[in-house]
Amino acid sequence: MSDKAVKNLLGYLDRSVTPGHAAAEAASVLAARGFVSLPESSRWDELPARFTVARGTGTIAAVIPGARPPEETGFRILCAHTDFPSLRLKPSPVRESEGCRVLGVEIYGGPILATWFDRDLSIAGTAVRRLAGDLVQVPYDLRRPVCRLATPALHLNRGVNEEGFSFNKEENICPILGLLPASFDLAAEIGRAADGDGQAPLAFSGHLYDTQRASLGGADGEFVFSGRLDNLAMCHAALEAVKDIEPGESTAVVCLFDSEEAGSGTASGAGSTFLDDILERLCASSGREGLFRSRARSMMVSADGAHAVHPCYASKHERANRPVLNGGPVVKVNAQERYASSALSQAYFAECASAAGVRCQTFVSRNDIPCGSTIGPILSTRLGMAAVDVGDPMLSMHSVREMAGTADHPGMIAAMKAHLSGIIRL
Ligand code: CO
């Protein structure tokens, strides 16, 4: 099972070049396992035995209603995010400079920008068309390295190794698209990639991504090297967990959100009503009273990448809590509530992991290094629900090329299955 899960992960990482592609890939994985798509705009009078709900382009939930009503058993909820730091095309992105065509891009989230230089970059996103009277969004992917952010030569930047590589985020983050004169028409190319004709779409989003494929690495094949591991690795683990479980007594909900790296404040982000709306509709037969009773019996697991200790930067870690790659899922704790974990929810997740034969590690920040955050506290606050923040250990978080351990992936999937199946009572 472990080799297969990791192999599936590599394919998922390669195909999920934007949050929209990650959500579409999730939808197709789940559809193949019998999940029926239930639009938010339809009436939910009769619920399928397993179904998906989507909002926007990059947010999707999978639901398996339990044998007993939610107000008796609560929900078992698992959340992760489909987005990742990147560069995105500005409006009117193509301009001319020194005989070249270059792209205007905006920075999305918090990438380690230096890692985006000298990579072979492609463009993917969503194109908007009017088809048979309706506005439709079509994902597209140019699938070839059409542009590159080039570093200046060492000879023109002599201090780079002593002073570090520095750049201006507006003047120097301009990927080179080609030379003049040019025949390449970006809008027409996107139109062709979206649905086969060369008509420029009404509008499009454009996300740059590194075309290097995910691979197994390390002397013994113990690592995964890839872009987008934060947080597509946890999205994939959640999908692997939910696609295989049988309906239990409690209702299982997996929710993969867009917009986390931009603060979650969008119509489909973790700060939106998306998950609340689903839970309320699942409690329709018992009304808001049933919803409140359900929430009080529920537990949420928020899964996002965790910081493994770096062998050459070990001092960045707190002394007693140093997660290692392939050491098992990490439970994250923060006194300022930047993570949602409490003593109770930590105990709960440790029991899930233990039921699956998996050992956990813990992470806490040093007091002199500010802690990151996740969708855990946002959702826990919105829903008034107990939650625990967990994640697989990784290095180079927010680099264009990250790394994680292969052994952690199946362990996390097993712990997630124990959670979603509701075998651990609260
Ligand atoms: Co993340």
Side-chain angles (χ1 to χ4, degrees):
M1 122 94 172
S2 71
D3 286 354
K4 188 155 172 267
V6 174
K7 194 163 154 270
N8 287 345
L9 170 63
L10 301 186
Y12 183 70
L13 290 162
D14 287 337
R15 289 187 289 274
S16 301
V17 291
T18 72
H21 287 79
E25 190 66 24
S28 82
V29 165
L30 294 167
R33 293 297 179 123
F35 284 76
V36 176
S37 167
L38 195 56
E40 284 194 289
S41 56
S42 68
R43 286 191 66 90
W44 289 19
D45 294 329
E46 252 177 62
L47 296 178
R50 37 181 64 204
F51 62 95
T52 56
V53 192
R55 190 184 281 185
T57 52
T59 294
I60 186 167
V63 182
I64 304 180
R68 288 170 59 199
E71 65 265 29
E72 291 176 19
T73 57
F75 295 103
R76 294 295 181 272
I77 300 174
L78 172 57
C79 297
H81 66 91
T82 56
D83 64 321
F84 34 83
S86 67
L87 302 177
R88 297 191 176 180
L89 294 181
K90 289 181 173 177
S92 309
V94 183
R95 62 184 167 80
E96 299 178 2
S97 176
E98 306 297 334
C100 295
R101 296 210 302 167
V102 299
L103 290 170
V105 293
E106 277 192 291
I107 298 161
Y108 178 78
I112 302 178
L113 284 166
T115 64
W116 281 75
F117 280 79
D118 298 341
R119 309 295 300 187
D120 308 341
L121 305 174
S122 188
I123 302 170
T126 304
V128 180
R129 279 285 170 73
R130 191 168 283 286
L131 287 179
D134 295 333
L135 279 180
V136 294
Q137 307 188 76
V138 187
Y140 73 87
D141 181 358
L142 298 188
R143 293 176 188 274
R144 63 191 177 93
V146 291
C147 60
R148 191 167 185 273
L149 268 176
T151 48
L154 176 93
H155 319 76
L156 308 178
N157 194 17
R158 283 285 182 194
V160 63
N161 291 327
E162 290 69 36
E163 291 143 24
F165 178 48
S166 65
F167 46 85
N168 179 282
K169 288 179 190 171
E170 177 64 24
E171 302 302 327
N172 305 133
I173 304 283
C174 303
I176 300 170
L177 181 65
L179 294 172
L180 290 165
S183 56
F184 181 92
D185 177 341
L186 181 62
E189 197 73 22
I190 288 172
R192 249 189 301 281
D195 53 16
D197 71 17
Q199 289 257 317
L202 295 172
F204 58 84
S205 69
H207 305 222
L208 274 60
Y209 71 90
D210 182 6
T211 54
Q212 188 177 356
R213 296 172 77 84
S215 61
L216 293 181
D220 289 316
E222 61 268 66
F223 302 135
V224 181
F225 299 149
S226 175
R228 309 181 286 279
L229 283 167
D230 171 16
N231 187 27
L232 295 181
M234 292 301 93
C235 289
H236 183 260
L239 290 171
E240 289 282 314
V242 77
K243 77 182 180 128
D244 284 340
I245 59 164
E246 293 300 320
E249 301 234 298
S250 52
T251 296
V253 182
V254 165
C255 204
L256 310 179
F257 288 99
D258 198 352
S259 309
E260 192 268 352
E261 301 291 357
S264 298
T266 65
S268 54
S272 77
T273 59
F274 182 62
L275 182 51
D276 311 29
D277 292 351
I278 292 173
L279 301 187
E280 183 158 353
R281 293 174 95 166
L282 289 170
C283 294
S285 62
S286 55
R288 291 204 44 94
E289 176 70 12
L291 175 66
F292 299 145
R293 291 174 61 205
S294 309
R295 283 177 179 171
R297 291 193 166 92
S298 297
M299 180 62 79
M300 181 187 326
V301 173
S302 155
D304 202 346
H307 302 300
V309 65
H310 190 307
C312 309
Y313 292 86
S315 63
K316 298 281 183 194
H317 271 257
E318 193 272 343
R319 280 186 186 81
N321 297 276
R322 297 187 163 195
V324 294
L325 295 171
N326 287 340
V330 179
V331 177
K332 308 177 209 175
V333 178
N334 179 252
Q336 301 293 340
E337 319 286 5
R338 304 275 291 165
Y339 298 131
S341 313
S342 65
L344 176 75
S345 65
Q346 288 178 66
Y348 170 82
F349 188 78
E351 288 199 334
C352 290
S354 161
V358 175
R359 276 185 53 150
C360 291
Q361 313 182 78
T362 48
F363 174 82
V364 68
S365 283
R366 289 174 59 103
N367 286 320
D368 54 3
I369 298 182
C371 184
S373 193
T374 69
I375 55 176
I378 296 171
L379 291 166
S380 185
T381 303
R382 265 207 75 92
L383 302 171
M385 190 180 289
V388 57
D389 268 298
V390 305
D392 276 345
M394 59 182 292
L395 293 175
S396 311
M397 189 183 286
H398 288 200
S399 167
V400 79
R401 193 85 178 157
E402 302 167 327
M403 65 184 280
T406 50
D408 290 322
H409 199 56
M412 179 59 90
I413 294 167
M416 286 175 167
K417 273 187 189 167
H419 164 58
L420 291 175
S421 60
I423 55 171
I424 306 300
R425 289 183 46 201
L426 286 164

